[in-house]
Amino acid sequence: MQIQLETQPYSSIPADALVTYVFDGDSKIDGVVADLDKAMDGRLAALAAGGELTGKSLEMVLVHFPEGLDAKRLLLVGAGKAEKFNVGDLRKIAGSALRYLKSRGVKKIVFLARESQRGPDAAQAAVEGLVLADFESDKYRTEKRPNREIQSVHLAGFDSGLGADLKSAVENGRVIAESANFARDLINEPSNRLTPRILASKAEAMAKEVGLGIEILDERKISELKMGALIGVAQGSFEPPRVIVVRYTPEKAQSGGPVLGLVGKAVTFDTGGISIKPADNMEKMKYDMGGGATMLAVMRTLAYLKPSVPVIAVIPATENMPGGHAQKPGDVQVAMSGKTIEIINTDAEGRLILADGIFYARKLGATHLIDAATLTGAIQVALANVHVGAFGTPREYLDKFLDSTKAVGEKMWPMPIDDEYQEMIKSNIADIRNTGSGKGGGAITAAWFIKEFAEDVPWIHLDIAATCWVDEGRPWLAKGPTGVAIRSIVDFALKMS
Ligand code: BES
Ligand code: ZN
Ligand code: ZN
């Protein structure tokens, strides 16, 4: 899909569809919508008066062969109340319009900016929305739906006085969304086509393409480093584990400055191990590598956007299988840090591999940490599939991160991490146990387990178990992997510069 900024007036670009949006309120027909209405002899005003054009959020009004316009269709998308409108809404409007028109065989779209959203932020949001919406999950369907490809989107009506800024906003939007789609592609891959070794080789290909440093630790190196928590999880599988280490080094790195460490859970399939999961929905556990894919997508983006802070991603990758060598409930493992762990439930494997990932990132010099993981079913109970659960210490570090989530329009909610929860992961025979002993608080005890390895290093933990995948498509997004958290982490890294 081509996306280009247009400087010529929208009315002179021939297109299959001209798209813009309408606010809910008294002034539905104003600005460019009033111009369109005039060209169409007041038909839009008539639609509004008749109640067919309300401006309610994501309402679609499609007019065929609009008289007075060159475009074959005019699509007006409802934008909700003008007072509440933000760039997040614009992302959804652009995405929903694309999916709506794509399903109707449209090839060429002109997206027309509105009066108060003509700057770089709006352009970037629109591009992100378009590219994310164009992603489909039908890679393995041999009979694709015919005639469904958006060939080009022309962005018209943006403030051409801001030429260079607009151009880079469009580029940034494209890089961020294409990187998210890269992650979504990985997350969609079934586990027979995405083992830890295959994930590592795909990460390697991506890193080489965009100029990032990469090192893959194989099972020998992993055992030399004594990553006992990761090895414990991996030992139940025929497939050997890998640790993927990706580095972004800025051109002018200051010595002694902060180093951001990103750690992503990449369990390429989670059967639960000996504490095996029920069959229902188990096929979804191919997406248990979503945290790792998220961090790879962040690194891919940063390779283009070039923050001034060095960033290291550490992605422990393994299957969690109940093979003959599998670890068993009651076993004790020694993590790389030297801490001993009593395995209560082999299905709480994500925190185990993160323990070694976090410790290793610290060893490599990370002064600040963020981890992302499809960690607990409990986060779904707490926040449904609306907010990502965001944990972290110190609180100021988490608050800064939450500012980034707001800036990019991703919903994340701060979760408590009081000392009382630490009590719940004390073990009778080892330093800690891998599940909480109390009732409830499963997402919090899991976070505390990870904190045992981050210790006093500023650390953020994102539990994306309920948000990394959606079973129902949304108007602006295909069902399946969402690419959540990537934009927030990228924004945060850029602001650390
Ligand atoms: N991968 C799962 C968490 C998960 C659940 C991700 C649903 C996506 C959707 C994780 O490894 C797990 O099994 N967690 C257990 C922990 C429990 C045994 C303490 C859980 O949440 O049930
Ligand atoms: Zn599990
Ligand atoms: Zn898991």
Side-chain angles (χ1 to χ4, degrees):
M1 178 175 62
Q2 269 195 351
I3 299 183
Q4 60 196 70
L5 275 166
E6 286 293 346
T7 43
Q8 46 177 323
Y10 66 87
S11 51
S12 60
I13 313 166
D16 297 320
L18 174 64
V19 178
T20 194
Y21 47 101
V22 175
F23 292 100
D24 181 4
D26 296 337
S27 51
K28 281 190 237 329
I29 312 292
D30 68 350
V32 292
V33 178
D35 297 344
L36 291 167
D37 184 53
K38 204 183 268 166
M40 293 170 69
D41 269 345
R43 286 180 196 183
L44 299 181
L47 282 175
E52 269 185 82
L53 178 67
T54 67
K56 291 224 161 43
S57 185
L58 300 184
E59 172 194 74
M60 299 285 169
V61 175
L62 183 64
V63 182
H64 286 274
F65 304 111
E67 235 175 285
L69 299 181
D70 280 346
K72 292 190 192 131
R73 301 168 185 81
L74 171 66
L75 176 63
L76 297 171
V77 185
K81 302 265 183 225
E83 314 84 76
K84 285 195 177 160
F85 191 81
N86 59 38
V87 289
D89 297 313
L90 189 49
R91 198 179 287 117
K92 288 180 186 166
I93 287 171
S96 305
L98 181 134
R99 294 187 69 75
Y100 184 87
L101 293 170
K102 191 178 181 181
S103 71
R104 286 161 176 80
V106 161
K107 305 269 174 280
K108 182 171 169 182
I109 298 176
V110 176
F111 185 87
L112 177 56
R114 291 299 308 264
E115 299 62 47
S116 46
Q117 291 97 34
R118 292 183 153 157
D121 286 356
Q124 180 170 337
V127 172
E128 286 171 5
L130 292 165
V131 175
L132 290 169
D134 200 31
F135 177 91
E136 304 291 348
S137 291
D138 60 355
K139 178 167 168 192
Y140 292 108
R141 197 175 286 139
T142 55
E143 283 181 31
K144 302 267 193 271
R145 291 186 188 128
N147 200 29
R148 283 194 185 189
E149 195 195 343
I150 301 286
Q151 282 163 359
S152 62
V153 182
H154 302 250
L155 303 175
F158 285 88
D159 188 346
S160 52
L162 301 165
D165 285 355
L166 267 186
K167 232 176 135 198
S168 64
V170 169
E171 278 317 301
N172 293 357
R174 182 185 265 290
V175 164
I176 292 173
E178 283 180 352
S179 298
N181 288 351
F182 166 77
R184 292 164 82 194
D185 232 341
L186 292 174
I187 294 169
N188 256 338
E189 285 293 295
S191 72
N192 63 332
R193 295 171 181 275
L194 195 85
T195 60
R197 284 181 292 180
I198 300 174
L199 178 62
S201 72
K202 289 189 186 232
E204 207 161 11
M206 180 279 287
K208 299 244 154 85
E209 189 192 325
V210 302
L212 292 165
I214 184 155
E215 189 188 355
I216 308 292
L217 314 186
D218 63 11
E219 61 274 32
R220 263 193 32 221
K221 185 80 192 170
I222 289 169
S223 91
E224 252 172 61
L225 287 169
K226 298 197 170 62
M227 294 184 165
L230 169 61
I231 293 167
V233 175
Q235 72 192 36
S237 172
F238 280 121
E239 284 293 333
R242 290 290 180 266
V243 175
I244 302 163
V245 181
V246 188
R247 282 172 198 270
Y248 162 77
T249 313
E251 263 169 35
K252 287 184 234 125
Q254 347 152 234
S255 64
V259 177
L260 180 60
L262 305 176
V263 182
K265 168 180 173 181
V267 173
T268 58
F269 197 79
D270 183 9
T271 66
I274 295 300
S275 315
I276 199 160
K277 287 180 181 296
D280 259 9
N281 287 319
M282 205 208 267
E283 76 284 356
K284 299 248 183 70
M285 282 301 114
K286 68 174 187 179
Y287 79 71
D288 211 18
M289 33 58 71
T294 301
M295 294 318 189
L296 288 175
V298 170
M299 295 306 284
R300 184 185 183 280
T301 312
L302 296 181
Y304 288 99
L305 302 192
K306 303 197 187 306
S308 59
V309 65
V311 188
I312 307 173
V314 174
I315 297 158
T318 179
E319 291 185 334
N320 185 24
M321 296 285 284
H325 284 122
Q327 66 180 349
K328 301 171 284 297
D331 287 0
V332 172
Q333 307 292 12
V334 185
M336 186 186 185
S337 75
K339 277 201 173 139
T340 56
I341 306 166
E342 183 187 8
I343 307 297
I344 303 295
N345 187 319
T346 64
D347 197 9
E349 84 297 342
R351 63 199 77 183
L352 295 169
I353 73 170
L354 288 173
D356 285 341
I358 291 259
F359 189 77
Y360 191 57
R362 286 176 58 190
K363 274 202 79 143
L364 294 179
T367 60
H368 293 72
L369 294 163
I370 304 178
D371 79 71
T374 47
L375 204 64
T376 68
I379 203 67
Q380 170 127 33
V381 177
L383 301 172
N385 63 1
V386 178
H387 285 89
V388 170
F391 301 78
T393 53
R395 180 64 206 220
E396 303 78 65
Y397 182 58
L398 175 61
D399 283 342
K400 239 189 219 153
F401 182 78
L402 291 171
D403 288 343
S404 282
T405 70
K406 286 180 198 120
V408 302
E410 288 192 311
K411 286 186 194 281
M412 304 209 186
W413 200 257
M415 297 288 290
I417 182 118
D418 304 52
D419 292 346
E420 285 88 335
Y421 298 100
Q422 187 183 21
E423 295 298 310
M424 300 179 190
I425 55 167
K426 295 226 157 109
S427 160
N428 290 331
I429 68 159
D431 296 333
I432 46 176
R433 45 186 280 156
N434 81 329
T435 61
S437 58
K439 281 216 174 88
I444 310 173
T445 47
W448 244 111
F449 184 95
I450 302 167
K451 184 171 160 53
E452 293 281 354
F453 298 87
E455 295 179 302
D456 290 333
V457 175
W459 156 80
I460 287 158
H461 158 60
L462 304 175
D463 194 335
I464 58 170
T467 44
C468 157
W469 181 279
V470 286
D471 289 332
E472 308 263 311
R474 295 171 180 168
W476 59 90
L477 210 69
K479 64 177 120 179
T482 60
V484 73
I486 296 166
R487 290 204 306 273
S488 296
I489 302 171
V490 166
D491 186 79
F492 186 75
L494 291 173
K495 286 176 181 162
M496 257 179 102
S497 302

PDB file of all heavy atoms in Angstrom, residues 248-254 257-261 302 306-312 367-368 490 492-497:
ATOM      1  N   TYR A 248      20.783  -1.821  20.041  1.00  0.00           N
ATOM      2  CA  TYR A 248      20.788  -0.557  19.299  1.00  0.00           C
ATOM      3  C   TYR A 248      21.813   0.346  19.974  1.00  0.00           C
ATOM      4  O   TYR A 248      21.716   0.611  21.180  1.00  0.00           O
ATOM      5  CB  TYR A 248      19.402   0.100  19.319  1.00  0.00           C
ATOM      6  CG  TYR A 248      19.480   1.556  18.950  1.00  0.00           C
ATOM      7  CD1 TYR A 248      19.635   1.941  17.617  1.00  0.00           C
ATOM      8  CD2 TYR A 248      19.478   2.548  19.933  1.00  0.00           C
ATOM      9  CE1 TYR A 248      19.772   3.280  17.275  1.00  0.00           C
ATOM     10  CE2 TYR A 248      19.612   3.882  19.602  1.00  0.00           C
ATOM     11  CZ  TYR A 248      19.755   4.243  18.271  1.00  0.00           C
ATOM     12  OH  TYR A 248      19.906   5.562  17.942  1.00  0.00           O
ATOM     13  N   THR A 249      22.800   0.800  19.218  1.00  0.00           N
ATOM     14  CA  THR A 249      23.817   1.691  19.775  1.00  0.00           C
ATOM     15  C   THR A 249      23.748   3.023  19.032  1.00  0.00           C
ATOM     16  O   THR A 249      23.944   3.062  17.818  1.00  0.00           O
ATOM     17  CB  THR A 249      25.224   1.080  19.589  1.00  0.00           C
ATOM     18  OG1 THR A 249      25.157  -0.286  19.987  1.00  0.00           O
ATOM     19  CG2 THR A 249      26.258   1.803  20.408  1.00  0.00           C
ATOM     20  N   PRO A 250      23.460   4.107  19.755  1.00  0.00           N
ATOM     21  CA  PRO A 250      23.392   5.403  19.076  1.00  0.00           C
ATOM     22  C   PRO A 250      24.770   5.842  18.602  1.00  0.00           C
ATOM     23  O   PRO A 250      25.785   5.396  19.155  1.00  0.00           O
ATOM     24  CB  PRO A 250      22.860   6.350  20.159  1.00  0.00           C
ATOM     25  CG  PRO A 250      23.085   5.663  21.442  1.00  0.00           C
ATOM     26  CD  PRO A 250      23.185   4.203  21.194  1.00  0.00           C
ATOM     27  N   GLU A 251      24.795   6.690  17.595  1.00  0.00           N
ATOM     28  CA  GLU A 251      26.079   7.127  17.052  1.00  0.00           C
ATOM     29  C   GLU A 251      26.919   7.839  18.096  1.00  0.00           C
ATOM     30  O   GLU A 251      28.105   7.593  18.218  1.00  0.00           O
ATOM     31  CB  GLU A 251      25.850   8.029  15.842  1.00  0.00           C
ATOM     32  CG  GLU A 251      25.977   7.246  14.547  1.00  0.00           C
ATOM     33  CD  GLU A 251      25.500   8.037  13.351  1.00  0.00           C
ATOM     34  OE1 GLU A 251      25.703   9.263  13.339  1.00  0.00           O
ATOM     35  OE2 GLU A 251      24.915   7.398  12.450  1.00  0.00           O
ATOM     36  N   LYS A 252      26.250   8.725  18.849  1.00  0.00           N
ATOM     37  CA  LYS A 252      27.022   9.467  19.861  1.00  0.00           C
ATOM     38  C   LYS A 252      26.592   9.020  21.253  1.00  0.00           C
ATOM     39  O   LYS A 252      25.918   9.763  21.957  1.00  0.00           O
ATOM     40  CB  LYS A 252      26.784  10.968  19.696  1.00  0.00           C
ATOM     41  CG  LYS A 252      27.469  11.546  18.471  1.00  0.00           C
ATOM     42  CD  LYS A 252      27.268  13.057  18.434  1.00  0.00           C
ATOM     43  CE  LYS A 252      26.668  13.467  17.119  1.00  0.00           C
ATOM     44  NZ  LYS A 252      25.468  14.207  17.120  1.00  0.00           N
ATOM     45  N   ALA A 253      26.980   7.799  21.633  1.00  0.00           N
ATOM     46  CA  ALA A 253      26.594   7.315  22.958  1.00  0.00           C
ATOM     47  C   ALA A 253      27.436   8.021  24.017  1.00  0.00           C
ATOM     48  O   ALA A 253      28.655   8.094  23.883  1.00  0.00           O
ATOM     49  CB  ALA A 253      26.804   5.813  23.030  1.00  0.00           C
ATOM     50  N   GLN A 254      26.739   8.552  25.058  1.00  0.00           N
ATOM     51  CA  GLN A 254      27.552   9.132  26.131  1.00  0.00           C
ATOM     52  C   GLN A 254      27.873   7.999  27.103  1.00  0.00           C
ATOM     53  O   GLN A 254      26.996   7.203  27.422  1.00  0.00           O
ATOM     54  CB  GLN A 254      26.839  10.217  26.933  1.00  0.00           C
ATOM     55  CG  GLN A 254      25.574  10.761  26.379  1.00  0.00           C
ATOM     56  CD  GLN A 254      24.638  11.264  27.484  1.00  0.00           C
ATOM     57  OE1 GLN A 254      23.506  10.861  27.538  1.00  0.00           O
ATOM     58  NE2 GLN A 254      25.100  12.165  28.360  1.00  0.00           N
ATOM     59  N   GLY A 257      25.773   7.166  30.744  1.00  0.00           N
ATOM     60  CA  GLY A 257      24.351   7.511  30.635  1.00  0.00           C
ATOM     61  C   GLY A 257      23.484   6.277  30.833  1.00  0.00           C
ATOM     62  O   GLY A 257      23.995   5.167  31.013  1.00  0.00           O
ATOM     63  N   PRO A 258      22.173   6.466  30.819  1.00  0.00           N
ATOM     64  CA  PRO A 258      21.275   5.323  30.995  1.00  0.00           C
ATOM     65  C   PRO A 258      21.331   4.349  29.818  1.00  0.00           C
ATOM     66  O   PRO A 258      21.652   4.739  28.695  1.00  0.00           O
ATOM     67  CB  PRO A 258      19.893   5.976  31.076  1.00  0.00           C
ATOM     68  CG  PRO A 258      20.043   7.304  30.441  1.00  0.00           C
ATOM     69  CD  PRO A 258      21.464   7.730  30.629  1.00  0.00           C
ATOM     70  N   VAL A 259      21.069   3.089  30.107  1.00  0.00           N
ATOM     71  CA  VAL A 259      20.959   2.053  29.079  1.00  0.00           C
ATOM     72  C   VAL A 259      19.616   1.368  29.303  1.00  0.00           C
ATOM     73  O   VAL A 259      19.351   0.857  30.392  1.00  0.00           O
ATOM     74  CB  VAL A 259      22.095   1.012  29.182  1.00  0.00           C
ATOM     75  CG1 VAL A 259      21.903  -0.094  28.151  1.00  0.00           C
ATOM     76  CG2 VAL A 259      23.466   1.668  29.028  1.00  0.00           C
ATOM     77  N   LEU A 260      18.773   1.393  28.289  1.00  0.00           N
ATOM     78  CA  LEU A 260      17.441   0.802  28.438  1.00  0.00           C
ATOM     79  C   LEU A 260      17.499  -0.680  28.083  1.00  0.00           C
ATOM     80  O   LEU A 260      17.973  -1.060  27.011  1.00  0.00           O
ATOM     81  CB  LEU A 260      16.449   1.538  27.528  1.00  0.00           C
ATOM     82  CG  LEU A 260      15.001   1.054  27.549  1.00  0.00           C
ATOM     83  CD1 LEU A 260      14.386   1.160  28.952  1.00  0.00           C
ATOM     84  CD2 LEU A 260      14.150   1.860  26.558  1.00  0.00           C
ATOM     85  N   GLY A 261      17.031  -1.524  28.994  1.00  0.00           N
ATOM     86  CA  GLY A 261      16.974  -2.971  28.751  1.00  0.00           C
ATOM     87  C   GLY A 261      15.529  -3.399  28.544  1.00  0.00           C
ATOM     88  O   GLY A 261      14.665  -3.108  29.370  1.00  0.00           O
ATOM     89  N   LEU A 302      13.161   1.507  16.583  1.00  0.00           N
ATOM     90  CA  LEU A 302      14.225   2.389  17.072  1.00  0.00           C
ATOM     91  C   LEU A 302      15.394   2.456  16.096  1.00  0.00           C
ATOM     92  O   LEU A 302      16.083   3.473  16.002  1.00  0.00           O
ATOM     93  CB  LEU A 302      14.696   1.926  18.459  1.00  0.00           C
ATOM     94  CG  LEU A 302      13.630   2.010  19.560  1.00  0.00           C
ATOM     95  CD1 LEU A 302      14.200   1.561  20.897  1.00  0.00           C
ATOM     96  CD2 LEU A 302      13.049   3.419  19.679  1.00  0.00           C
ATOM     97  N   LYS A 306      16.127   6.212  15.740  1.00  0.00           N
ATOM     98  CA  LYS A 306      17.418   6.588  16.309  1.00  0.00           C
ATOM     99  C   LYS A 306      17.365   7.481  17.553  1.00  0.00           C
ATOM    100  O   LYS A 306      17.768   8.655  17.507  1.00  0.00           O
ATOM    101  CB  LYS A 306      18.278   7.268  15.241  1.00  0.00           C
ATOM    102  CG  LYS A 306      18.494   6.401  14.003  1.00  0.00           C
ATOM    103  CD  LYS A 306      19.644   6.911  13.170  1.00  0.00           C
ATOM    104  CE  LYS A 306      19.774   6.170  11.856  1.00  0.00           C
ATOM    105  NZ  LYS A 306      19.871   4.713  11.975  1.00  0.00           N
ATOM    106  N   PRO A 307      16.918   6.929  18.675  1.00  0.00           N
ATOM    107  CA  PRO A 307      16.989   7.692  19.927  1.00  0.00           C
ATOM    108  C   PRO A 307      18.457   7.841  20.344  1.00  0.00           C
ATOM    109  O   PRO A 307      19.314   7.151  19.801  1.00  0.00           O
ATOM    110  CB  PRO A 307      16.235   6.801  20.921  1.00  0.00           C
ATOM    111  CG  PRO A 307      16.380   5.418  20.388  1.00  0.00           C
ATOM    112  CD  PRO A 307      16.405   5.565  18.888  1.00  0.00           C
ATOM    113  N   SER A 308      18.726   8.717  21.317  1.00  0.00           N
ATOM    114  CA  SER A 308      20.131   8.868  21.715  1.00  0.00           C
ATOM    115  C   SER A 308      20.509   7.938  22.864  1.00  0.00           C
ATOM    116  O   SER A 308      21.651   7.896  23.284  1.00  0.00           O
ATOM    117  CB  SER A 308      20.435  10.325  22.046  1.00  0.00           C
ATOM    118  OG  SER A 308      19.592  10.737  23.079  1.00  0.00           O
ATOM    119  N   VAL A 309      19.548   7.158  23.375  1.00  0.00           N
ATOM    120  CA  VAL A 309      19.846   6.213  24.459  1.00  0.00           C
ATOM    121  C   VAL A 309      20.160   4.830  23.860  1.00  0.00           C
ATOM    122  O   VAL A 309      19.507   4.408  22.902  1.00  0.00           O
ATOM    123  CB  VAL A 309      18.644   6.136  25.441  1.00  0.00           C
ATOM    124  CG1 VAL A 309      17.407   5.566  24.781  1.00  0.00           C
ATOM    125  CG2 VAL A 309      18.970   5.322  26.678  1.00  0.00           C
ATOM    126  N   PRO A 310      21.201   4.150  24.391  1.00  0.00           N
ATOM    127  CA  PRO A 310      21.441   2.775  23.925  1.00  0.00           C
ATOM    128  C   PRO A 310      20.354   1.831  24.446  1.00  0.00           C
ATOM    129  O   PRO A 310      19.880   2.003  25.570  1.00  0.00           O
ATOM    130  CB  PRO A 310      22.796   2.402  24.541  1.00  0.00           C
ATOM    131  CG  PRO A 310      23.281   3.583  25.299  1.00  0.00           C
ATOM    132  CD  PRO A 310      22.190   4.594  25.379  1.00  0.00           C
ATOM    133  N   VAL A 311      19.969   0.866  23.647  1.00  0.00           N
ATOM    134  CA  VAL A 311      18.903  -0.060  24.051  1.00  0.00           C
ATOM    135  C   VAL A 311      19.356  -1.495  23.779  1.00  0.00           C
ATOM    136  O   VAL A 311      19.892  -1.792  22.704  1.00  0.00           O
ATOM    137  CB  VAL A 311      17.592   0.220  23.278  1.00  0.00           C
ATOM    138  CG1 VAL A 311      16.446  -0.611  23.833  1.00  0.00           C
ATOM    139  CG2 VAL A 311      17.223   1.697  23.321  1.00  0.00           C
ATOM    140  N   ILE A 312      19.141  -2.354  24.767  1.00  0.00           N
ATOM    141  CA  ILE A 312      19.460  -3.781  24.599  1.00  0.00           C
ATOM    142  C   ILE A 312      18.176  -4.566  24.811  1.00  0.00           C
ATOM    143  O   ILE A 312      17.513  -4.399  25.837  1.00  0.00           O
ATOM    144  CB  ILE A 312      20.450  -4.280  25.674  1.00  0.00           C
ATOM    145  CG1 ILE A 312      21.693  -3.395  25.726  1.00  0.00           C
ATOM    146  CG2 ILE A 312      20.840  -5.734  25.415  1.00  0.00           C
ATOM    147  CD1 ILE A 312      22.622  -3.737  26.875  1.00  0.00           C
ATOM    148  N   THR A 367      20.482  -0.159  32.763  1.00  0.00           N
ATOM    149  CA  THR A 367      20.285   0.620  33.997  1.00  0.00           C
ATOM    150  C   THR A 367      18.801   0.856  34.254  1.00  0.00           C
ATOM    151  O   THR A 367      18.404   1.273  35.329  1.00  0.00           O
ATOM    152  CB  THR A 367      20.963   2.002  33.886  1.00  0.00           C
ATOM    153  OG1 THR A 367      20.356   2.704  32.773  1.00  0.00           O
ATOM    154  CG2 THR A 367      22.461   1.869  33.645  1.00  0.00           C
ATOM    155  N   HIS A 368      17.977   0.640  33.219  1.00  0.00           N
ATOM    156  CA  HIS A 368      16.529   0.806  33.310  1.00  0.00           C
ATOM    157  C   HIS A 368      15.900  -0.358  32.556  1.00  0.00           C
ATOM    158  O   HIS A 368      16.391  -0.718  31.482  1.00  0.00           O
ATOM    159  CB  HIS A 368      16.079   2.128  32.665  1.00  0.00           C
ATOM    160  CG  HIS A 368      16.562   3.338  33.411  1.00  0.00           C
ATOM    161  ND1 HIS A 368      17.873   3.738  33.405  1.00  0.00           N
ATOM    162  CD2 HIS A 368      15.890   4.224  34.198  1.00  0.00           C
ATOM    163  CE1 HIS A 368      17.995   4.821  34.164  1.00  0.00           C
ATOM    164  NE2 HIS A 368      16.803   5.136  34.659  1.00  0.00           N
ATOM    165  N   VAL A 490       8.233   2.638  22.414  1.00  0.00           N
ATOM    166  CA  VAL A 490       9.015   3.458  21.475  1.00  0.00           C
ATOM    167  C   VAL A 490       9.016   4.915  21.943  1.00  0.00           C
ATOM    168  O   VAL A 490      10.068   5.564  22.031  1.00  0.00           O
ATOM    169  CB  VAL A 490       8.438   3.353  20.045  1.00  0.00           C
ATOM    170  CG1 VAL A 490       8.999   4.446  19.144  1.00  0.00           C
ATOM    171  CG2 VAL A 490       8.729   1.969  19.458  1.00  0.00           C
ATOM    172  N   PHE A 492       8.547   6.094  24.891  1.00  0.00           N
ATOM    173  CA  PHE A 492       9.326   6.206  26.132  1.00  0.00           C
ATOM    174  C   PHE A 492      10.831   6.230  25.833  1.00  0.00           C
ATOM    175  O   PHE A 492      11.570   7.051  26.376  1.00  0.00           O
ATOM    176  CB  PHE A 492       8.970   5.029  27.045  1.00  0.00           C
ATOM    177  CG  PHE A 492       9.599   5.099  28.407  1.00  0.00           C
ATOM    178  CD1 PHE A 492       9.116   5.980  29.359  1.00  0.00           C
ATOM    179  CD2 PHE A 492      10.670   4.281  28.732  1.00  0.00           C
ATOM    180  CE1 PHE A 492       9.689   6.041  30.628  1.00  0.00           C
ATOM    181  CE2 PHE A 492      11.246   4.334  29.997  1.00  0.00           C
ATOM    182  CZ  PHE A 492      10.757   5.216  30.943  1.00  0.00           C
ATOM    183  N   ALA A 493      11.272   5.350  24.936  1.00  0.00           N
ATOM    184  CA  ALA A 493      12.705   5.299  24.593  1.00  0.00           C
ATOM    185  C   ALA A 493      13.141   6.611  23.939  1.00  0.00           C
ATOM    186  O   ALA A 493      14.223   7.129  24.228  1.00  0.00           O
ATOM    187  CB  ALA A 493      12.980   4.124  23.664  1.00  0.00           C
ATOM    188  N   LEU A 494      12.283   7.157  23.083  1.00  0.00           N
ATOM    189  CA  LEU A 494      12.642   8.407  22.403  1.00  0.00           C
ATOM    190  C   LEU A 494      12.752   9.553  23.415  1.00  0.00           C
ATOM    191  O   LEU A 494      13.596  10.428  23.295  1.00  0.00           O
ATOM    192  CB  LEU A 494      11.609   8.755  21.322  1.00  0.00           C
ATOM    193  CG  LEU A 494      11.594   7.820  20.107  1.00  0.00           C
ATOM    194  CD1 LEU A 494      10.420   8.155  19.190  1.00  0.00           C
ATOM    195  CD2 LEU A 494      12.905   7.912  19.325  1.00  0.00           C
ATOM    196  N   LYS A 495      11.876   9.495  24.449  1.00  0.00           N
ATOM    197  CA  LYS A 495      11.902  10.574  25.442  1.00  0.00           C
ATOM    198  C   LYS A 495      13.028  10.405  26.465  1.00  0.00           C
ATOM    199  O   LYS A 495      13.358  11.345  27.185  1.00  0.00           O
ATOM    200  CB  LYS A 495      10.542  10.667  26.129  1.00  0.00           C
ATOM    201  CG  LYS A 495       9.517  11.287  25.192  1.00  0.00           C
ATOM    202  CD  LYS A 495       8.124  11.343  25.753  1.00  0.00           C
ATOM    203  CE  LYS A 495       7.183  11.966  24.733  1.00  0.00           C
ATOM    204  NZ  LYS A 495       5.781  11.684  25.007  1.00  0.00           N
ATOM    205  N   MET A 496      13.591   9.198  26.553  1.00  0.00           N
ATOM    206  CA  MET A 496      14.740   8.990  27.451  1.00  0.00           C
ATOM    207  C   MET A 496      15.984   9.654  26.886  1.00  0.00           C
ATOM    208  O   MET A 496      16.960   9.868  27.563  1.00  0.00           O
ATOM    209  CB  MET A 496      15.026   7.489  27.583  1.00  0.00           C
ATOM    210  CG  MET A 496      14.539   6.892  28.872  1.00  0.00           C
ATOM    211  SD  MET A 496      14.894   5.143  28.940  1.00  0.00           S
ATOM    212  CE  MET A 496      16.318   5.135  30.014  1.00  0.00           C
ATOM    213  N   SER A 497      15.937   9.935  25.597  1.00  0.00           N
ATOM    214  CA  SER A 497      17.111  10.483  24.909  1.00  0.00           C
ATOM    215  C   SER A 497      17.543  11.801  25.537  1.00  0.00           C
ATOM    216  O   SER A 497      16.712  12.588  25.912  1.00  0.00           O
ATOM    217  CB  SER A 497      16.783  10.745  23.458  1.00  0.00           C
ATOM    218  OG  SER A 497      16.352   9.567  22.852  1.00  0.00           O
TER     219      SER A 497
END
